[in-house]
Amino acid sequence: MALTRRSSNLLKSLTTINPTTRLFSTSSDSSITIETSVPFTGHKIDPPSRSVTTSSSELMTFFTDMSQMRRMEIAADSLYKAKLIRGFCHLYDGQEAVAVGMEAAITRKDNIITAYRDHCLYLGRGGTLLETFAELMGRKDGCSKGKGGSMHFYKKENGFYGGHGIVGAQVPLGCGLAFAQKYSKEDNVSFALYGDGAANQGQLFEALNMAALWDLPAILVCENNHYGMGTAEWRAAKSPAYYKRGDYVPGLKVDGMDALAVKQACKFAKEHALKNGPIILEMDTYRYHGHSMSDPGSTYRTRDEITGVRQERDPIERIRKLLLSHDIATEKELKDIEKEIRKEVDQAIAAAKESPMPDPSELFTNVYVKGYGVEAFGADRKEVRTVLP
C-alpha cells in the first residue's frame, strides 16, 4: 500500500522527535552526587565507588528514555496479541536501566551486540519508534527493511550489531568486534550482552579465553533476569554467580535495576578493558513479561514476586523519586511527559501500519556480497530463473 501525503509527513516528523528536549521545573543543570542502591561486588578486581555524579538533564533523559522504552514494549504486546506482529517477540520491560545506563557511559563508536531481546537497546543506540514498529510488523520502513523482525534489529552506523536468534552466538561475534577495534588501534570497546540462560554456553568460554589471551577490549554483560526461558537460574547453573564465571577474568556484580549503577559500572569496565582486556559485568535485573509472547510468565514464578519487584526495584520509579526529591520536576510534569510519549508511540504505530510490505525481490537481496551473486536455474539446469544480486 502506497504511503499517503499525510502519513509521509508523519514519517518525517517521527524521525526527528527528540523526547529528551522537554521542559521541566528547574533551569539548573548542576552536578548531583547520588549513591547507588547497593554496593558493587567485585571478582579479582576492586569495585568502583558507589557515589555517582549525574545532573538534572541526565536524570530527565533517563526518565524519558526508559518511559519511552516501557511504553513501546507494552504497545508491542498489544500489537502481537492483535496479530500485527508475528513470529518470535521477546520484550524488555523491567530491564530498561541496563540500556540507558550503558549508553550514558559510552559513545556510539563503542559497539553493542546482543541476543533477541533487542528492541530497547536499538532505541538506545539512536533508532526511532517508527523503525522499531515497522520492523516488528515486517514493513519496508523497518530498521532491517522488514526482513529481520523482532530478533534482528541492526544499526551498524551507530555501533549496534544486532539482534541474534541463536542463544549465546553473539558473544564470539562481540569478541570479534573487539578484536577489530584492537587491530585498528581504536580507543573503543565492544559490549557483548547475553542472558543467564546463555551463560553455560561453551562458545562463551571459548571466546572469553581468546579475548583474555589477546587482551581484547571486550566487555561481556550478563543480563541476569533470573529465568532462562522458564527455568530459574539455580535450576540451570551450579554457580549462578555469573560475574565470577570468568575465573581468570575480572568480574563485577551490578544492580541492573539502577540506571546510575549501570552507568558507573560500564564507565569503570570501559576504562579497565582498554588498559587490561576483558571484564564480565553481571546485571542483576528482571523482566516483567514472560520469556517471549508465547510464555505467560506466571507458571514458574508467582504474581506476588513480579509485583514485589515492580514496587521495590522498578528502574523508572527509582528515577522518578530522584527527580521529585531533588525538585528537578513535578509529578504533573512527569505525567505530562508520559502522556506525550503515549502520543508519540501511537503516531509511530499508525505510520508503521501505513508503511508498505517489502517488495518480493527483497527475498534475494543481502544474501551475497554485492556483485558476487549467482544465477538460479530451473530443475533442468538450462533455464535461468533469476539472477541473485
Side-chain angles (χ1 to χ4, degrees):
M1 180 172 61
L3 289 172
T4 63
R5 181 177 298 176
R6 174 184 169 278
S7 62
S8 180
N9 291 336
L10 185 56
L11 297 182
K12 189 182 295 183
S13 66
L14 281 166
T15 57
T16 57
I17 283 175
N18 181 1
T20 64
T21 57
R22 302 178 177 88
L23 298 176
F24 47 96
S25 292
T26 181
S27 59
S28 170
D29 198 29
S30 56
S31 294
I32 306 169
T33 301
I34 296 171
E35 193 170 83
T36 61
S37 52
V38 295
F40 299 101
T41 308
H43 167 68
K44 292 186 179 294
I45 198 166
D46 293 327
S49 169
R50 289 182 64 182
S51 297
V52 186
T53 301
T54 184
S55 64
S56 301
S57 60
E58 182 174 68
L59 290 174
M60 286 300 297
T61 298
F62 284 171
F63 181 81
T64 52
D65 287 355
M66 287 196 291
S67 296
Q68 188 182 67
M69 290 172 181
R70 179 74 57 86
R71 190 67 197 172
M72 178 185 75
E73 295 294 65
I74 291 170
D77 173 282
S78 299
L79 290 169
Y80 194 94
K81 289 171 180 173
K83 297 186 177 181
L84 289 168
I85 298 174
R86 310 302 290 262
F88 293 103
C89 185
H90 307 81
L91 303 181
Y92 201 74
D93 50 318
Q95 300 182 206
E96 300 93 346
V98 176
V100 300
M102 183 166 54
E103 286 294 344
I106 63 177
T107 72
R108 296 279 165 81
K109 290 186 178 179
D110 296 308
N111 297 323
I112 296 176
I113 188 168
T114 189
Y116 35 74
R117 207 177 300 278
D118 58 354
H119 312 157
C120 293
L121 291 162
Y122 172 78
L123 206 63
R125 290 263 88 180
T128 67
L129 288 169
L130 169 63
E131 292 165 343
T132 299
F133 285 117
E135 190 60 40
L136 287 170
M137 290 190 270
R139 306 302 177 106
K140 190 175 181 180
D141 289 297
C143 59
S144 298
K145 300 181 181 178
K147 299 193 292 181
S150 171
M151 299 195 292
H152 302 292
F153 281 39
Y154 292 90
K155 198 171 185 65
K156 183 182 176 183
E157 65 273 21
N158 283 14
F160 186 61
Y161 288 84
H164 294 267
I166 305 300
V167 176
Q170 71 278 8
V171 177
L173 296 176
C175 291
L177 291 169
F179 177 82
Q181 288 169 324
K182 183 162 186 175
Y183 188 84
S184 302
K185 294 181 171 57
E186 296 174 13
D187 198 27
N188 299 105
V189 298
S190 291
F191 288 78
L193 281 67
Y194 58 98
D196 51 290
N200 298 315
Q201 285 276 319
Q203 58 187 326
L204 188 153
F205 295 97
E206 292 171 28
L208 183 62
N209 180 58
M210 294 174 73
L213 281 171
W214 298 336
D215 295 327
L216 301 183
I219 299 168
L220 274 62
V221 182
C222 178
E223 292 186 282
N224 182 9
N225 58 30
H226 303 284
Y227 295 95
M229 297 186 72
T231 304
E233 57 179 348
W234 60 270
R235 297 175 70 94
K238 183 65 178 176
S239 171
Y242 299 109
Y243 69 104
K244 295 181 180 179
R245 286 289 200 88
D247 186 16
Y248 43 82
V249 173
L252 196 66
K253 186 171 183 178
V254 185
D255 183 355
M257 305 292 271
D258 181 347
L260 291 169
V262 175
K263 171 192 166 183
Q264 185 85 328
C266 290
K267 180 182 176 184
F268 175 84
K270 179 176 177 177
E271 291 171 358
H272 171 89
L274 288 171
K275 293 177 183 176
N276 307 299
I279 184 172
I280 295 175
L281 299 180
E282 179 187 344
M283 300 292 179
D284 180 4
T285 186
Y286 198 83
R287 56 169 163 79
Y288 296 148
H289 267 85
H291 169 73
S292 68
M293 286 303 297
S294 61
D295 168 23
S298 57
T299 56
Y300 48 86
R301 57 183 182 175
T302 64
R303 294 194 183 277
D304 287 344
E305 178 184 308
I306 302 168
T307 303
V309 175
R310 281 185 181 274
Q311 291 176 345
E312 297 173 17
R313 301 183 64 210
D314 185 81
I316 299 175
E317 292 308 309
R318 282 180 167 179
I319 297 297
R320 187 195 302 273
K321 288 175 183 176
L322 286 174
L323 290 169
L324 295 174
S325 64
H326 286 82
D327 295 321
I328 296 169
T330 65
E331 189 68 59
K332 183 183 182 302
E333 287 170 331
L334 298 181
K335 286 186 181 298
D336 287 344
I337 288 173
E338 290 173 317
K339 286 179 184 177
E340 183 64 27
I341 287 171
R342 287 193 189 95
K343 289 180 185 177
E344 291 169 9
V345 168
D346 290 343
Q347 287 177 325
I349 291 170
K353 285 178 179 177
E354 296 199 46
S355 176
M357 293 291 184
D359 189 271
S361 64
E362 285 290 329
L363 283 169
F364 304 105
T365 61
N366 308 119
V367 178
Y368 296 96
V369 175
K370 194 172 182 180
Y372 287 83
V374 297
E375 295 178 337
F377 290 84
D380 57 6
R381 303 293 297 164
K382 293 179 181 178
E383 181 186 356
V384 176
R385 295 291 176 86
T386 187
V387 177
L388 303 184

